[in-house]
Structure formats: C-alpha cells, structure tokens
Amino acid sequence: MTGTRALSKYWMLTNDFTQNPYPVLEYVRRESPVCELSFPDGGRAWVVTRYEDAKAALADPRLSRDVHVHYRLMSERTGRTMTPPPEEANHLANLEPPRHTPLRRAISFAFTPRRAEALRPKVEQIADELLDRLAGLPRPDLISGYADPLPVIVIAELMGVPADAWPDFLRWSTALRTHSPTEGSGALDRNIQELSRYMSALIAEKEREPGEDLLSALIHADPERRLTSTEILSTGFALMTGGNDTTASLVGGVIAALLAHPAERAELLAEPGRWGRSMDELIRYVSPIGNALQRVTTEPVELGGVTIPAGEVVVVSVMSTNRDPHQFPDDPDGLDLTRPKPAHLSFGFGIHYCSGAHLAKVITEIAARRLFERFPRVRFAVDPSELRYQQNVVVRPLEALPVVF
C-alpha cells in the first residue's frame, strides 16, 4: 500500500482487512497513526496504531471503560435510552475508579497465578480428552474441536461448575460471544437469562457449601475483599466472554503459527522448558486481540498529535502496536522465540490489564504442547492461504483450522 492511496472510511470493517490487516496497519501507522474510522450507522471512532500512543491511551483516565458512559453514548447515537444489564455493569473491565479499585483488589487476591498454575494437571487432562475425540477423524478441525471448547471447560472448572453442566456452558459462551447491545435477538436474550439463572443458583450453592474454586474464594473472602452477589455474577459473565473468546482465539492462533513455523516448533519440542518463556513472543506475533475494548473520551484528549473531542470512541489497535517497528525493531513481522522481553499489549496495560493473563498463557501453552507432543506429524489439511478469520471488532479468531494427524 503506497502513501498516496486513500483509505476507505470503513477501512477496518472490510473482509479484506479481517483476512490480512498488517499491510493496512503498516500504512496507517506511518501516514495517520491516530486515524478516523466510520461506522455504517453514522458513528465514528478514532483508531490508535502506535505502541507509545496506545500505552498512553490505555493508561489515561480520560478514556473511560465505564459501561454507563458507553451506553449513554449509544443512547445519544440511536435516539433511544439504553442501559447496561447488571451482568455487564458490575465487573472490572466495564468499570473505572472508584468502583473499579475494590473489585480489582478482591479479584486479584482470588484469581492468582498460583491458582492458575494449580490447574495445570486439569488443563492437561481436558486437552488430552479433547484430542482423544479428534484422534480418529480424517480431517479434524482444531477450532471447533479443541481451541473453542478447551478454555470454556477450564474456566467452568475454575469456577466450580460441575462437569455435567459443561455442554451448557459451551452453548452459553457461544451465544455471549455474538451478543450485541443493539441486537434484539430473543435467542440471545434467552441464553443470557439461562446463564444468569444458573450462575445465581451456583453462587447460592457456593455460599452454603464452599469448595476450592474461584467463586467460593470470592464469596467467602475477608470482609474487606468481599464482593456482592451481583458483582460475582458479573465477574462470572466476564470470564465466560472475555476469558473464553480471547483464550480460544489465542490457542487457535498459536497452533496455526507453529504449524507454519516447523523449525520453531521443533525447537520447543526439543527443549520443553522453553514453552513458557516463548509464550509472550507467540502472543505478540499472533495478536489474539485485534483491538482493545473501546474507550470513550470524557474530555478532549491529545494522542499522537491529534486532539480527540469529548464524547468520542477510541479504539486501540493491538495488532498494530504488536508489530510497531519502534517498539520491536528487529523484524516486527517475524516470529522470533529468542526476542528479548516482547512487551506486547495483548492483555492490556494499566489498571485494566487482564486479571486472567496468566491462566490464558497456561491454557495456550498446554494446548499447543500436548497437540504437538501427541501428534508430531500434524500438518495443515489446506493451504495456509485458505484459512479465514472471523470478522470481530475485538478478538481475531480463525473460522476453522483443519489438520491431518
């Protein structure tokens, strides 16, 4: 793409961009690093593409993640009053201080790297069970059969959900991933209501009979860290949406990347201790999060030399920041497992850094390692150029990943 070619006003919403975003992002970073994007409904957003500008945006309190601010803006744009349901309105990702601060403290205390590490044997067991189901198929799909269900089941296990409810959790998770506040689908609403009723009953059960799970830890925390039932319910919804779809996108992307890089895959299999150390570079390269969750400016903000007015949507292109040559000067478009300290922004930055980042790494590491250990000859069943990504404004999941064992 040359410096004289004009961008479409819907440039980030096209299928061409979804399938191959990096040439466009390279152009935007160079020519218009804080770039306007139009939406078909007449709205607009400002897309931040450079690493340093993105860190500044993610840390700036004038760029709000408060869900009530977002719904007020949607109400103004649609001409009808819209309010967030309680399942969306009471968890970390959708709140700002002062409400965000005690929630963050409570969840960080319960949702620790140690708890994620303790799940390793269970994650490996679930991964092996899913691979067992795929082993006899002539052309298994590693997205629908592996990358999608694995994090749903692991997070259900983390929350203390009985195994007989895992199929329902997979169905609810799929419905929540496609939920839009402006979409009036009765089926989606029913799924959300079903999950809400189930989670409310599960929380009540954990209040009576606590276990060694995350919900019990939140319910029975010390008084200064204790959340309300509504906050715990909302946190469960956040795990079911942000936790599942982000990790599924990451698992599928990392496996596809290692299928396309046999030398790097062989290095990891020869030195298993390198898997954990290589995860951040794999995450940087794959960028499972295309764009960070939208912010809304509460007052005018200058980013990258552009003054963005109050009441505007700001989108941080994580895909772009993770390939910014100013931050990653040595072959930013390449996969280099020896790259020192690849400080990607896939899990955010500042107070909204993802609480589940460590668990996502554990799940992805085990998923990829067990696949390649058990099936060292696994290969693409199609030419890699035929792989397609789903259109999604936040995550970047593959539609399918057919392989031959």
Side-chain angles (χ1 to χ4, degrees):
M1 178 172 285
T2 67
T4 58
R5 180 176 173 180
L7 284 175
S8 159
K9 64 180 181 177
Y10 304 127
W11 60 274
M12 190 180 273
L13 308 180
T14 67
N15 185 58
D16 285 346
F17 179 86
T18 297
Q19 304 311 326
N20 187 21
Y22 293 109
V24 177
L25 291 172
E26 180 183 8
Y27 169 82
V28 174
R29 269 197 315 269
R30 184 179 66 247
E31 301 295 331
S32 183
V34 178
C35 185
E36 188 174 338
L37 170 70
S38 296
F39 295 111
D41 64 1
R44 70 175 180 181
W46 298 88
V47 182
V48 181
T49 61
R50 288 183 180 170
Y51 185 92
E52 288 302 325
D53 294 335
K55 281 184 69 176
L58 294 173
D60 194 324
R62 297 172 297 174
L63 276 69
S64 178
R65 271 297 309 151
D66 188 324
V67 69
H68 298 91
V69 174
H70 288 249
Y71 270 77
R72 281 198 298 271
L73 181 61
M74 287 192 292
S75 297
E76 292 170 6
R77 289 184 172 180
T78 61
R80 57 191 179 93
T81 301
M82 303 175 71
T83 56
E87 295 87 354
E88 289 186 34
N90 292 279
H91 65 76
L92 281 179
N94 288 343
L95 294 171
E96 293 287 355
R99 279 203 66 202
H100 177 276
T101 306
L103 276 170
R104 180 81 188 194
R105 187 183 304 117
I107 291 171
S108 296
F109 184 81
F111 199 4
T112 61
R114 181 178 178 181
R115 186 180 292 274
E117 288 293 326
L119 279 170
R120 277 184 179 272
K122 191 65 179 181
V123 177
E124 191 157 324
Q125 176 191 333
I126 295 166
D128 280 335
E129 289 172 356
L130 291 171
L131 290 172
D132 288 342
R133 298 176 192 175
L134 300 178
L137 301 179
R139 200 171 100 153
D141 174 19
L142 292 181
I143 300 302
S144 62
Y146 194 50
D148 279 357
L150 178 60
V152 176
I153 296 171
V154 171
I155 290 173
E157 172 77 15
L158 172 74
M159 293 194 297
V161 176
D164 60 5
W166 291 352
D168 285 331
F169 261 64
L170 185 57
R171 173 171 58 85
W172 290 326
S173 177
T174 300
L176 286 171
R177 279 206 306 268
T178 60
H179 174 59
S180 168
T182 59
E183 184 178 357
S185 169
L188 286 175
D189 290 343
R190 282 193 299 275
N191 277 293
I192 291 168
Q193 290 166 8
E194 285 177 18
L195 176 57
S196 183
R197 285 195 297 268
Y198 181 88
M199 289 293 296
S200 296
L202 184 64
I203 290 167
E205 180 183 328
K206 300 292 182 183
E207 287 176 345
R208 295 189 301 270
E209 298 181 23
E212 298 298 321
D213 53 82
L214 179 63
L215 286 184
S216 295
L218 292 172
I219 293 165
H220 296 278
D222 294 337
E224 67 270 17
R225 296 192 186 94
R226 194 166 298 163
L227 305 183
T228 67
S229 294
T230 301
E231 289 168 342
I232 295 171
L233 174 64
S234 195
T235 298
F237 267 75
L239 287 168
M240 287 290 292
T241 52
N244 288 339
D245 55 7
T246 301
T247 309
S249 176
L250 177 57
V251 170
V254 165
I255 290 173
L258 289 173
L259 284 170
H261 291 80
E264 286 79 2
R265 182 172 77 243
E267 290 173 10
L268 292 174
L269 290 172
E271 298 181 60
R274 291 183 58 190
W275 278 101
R277 298 195 302 272
S278 299
M279 285 312 303
D280 279 311
E281 171 62 5
L282 284 162
I283 294 167
R284 180 203 70 84
Y285 178 78
V286 168
S287 285
I289 300 290
N291 301 301
L293 295 173
Q294 296 177 356
R295 269 71 175 165
V296 171
T297 53
T298 57
E299 59 184 84
V301 176
E302 183 177 330
L303 289 169
V306 175
T307 299
I308 302 172
E312 296 278 340
V313 174
V314 175
V315 173
V316 171
S317 173
V318 176
M319 286 188 295
S320 179
T321 66
N322 285 349
R323 302 285 182 100
D324 186 341
H326 293 286
Q327 176 66 18
F328 307 103
D330 298 324
D331 190 17
D333 292 318
L335 176 64
D336 178 3
L337 298 184
T338 65
R339 191 185 303 275
K341 295 183 179 180
H344 59 81
L345 297 179
S346 293
F347 294 121
F349 181 77
I351 66 169
H352 287 292
Y353 184 83
C354 177
S355 299
H358 193 85
L359 179 60
K361 291 180 184 181
V362 167
I363 294 172
T364 304
E365 175 195 332
I366 292 173
R369 177 173 55 78
R370 290 305 294 147
L371 170 71
F372 293 117
E373 285 176 347
R374 290 189 55 178
F375 304 101
R377 296 183 179 179
V378 62
R379 64 188 187 277
F380 290 116
V382 298
D383 189 283
S385 64
E386 296 180 32
L387 298 178
R388 292 291 177 265
Y389 290 88
Q390 297 177 29
Q391 283 196 284
N392 189 302
V393 296
V394 179
V395 293
R396 190 168 185 256
L398 284 163
E399 291 181 351
L401 182 53
V403 296
V404 176
F405 288 147

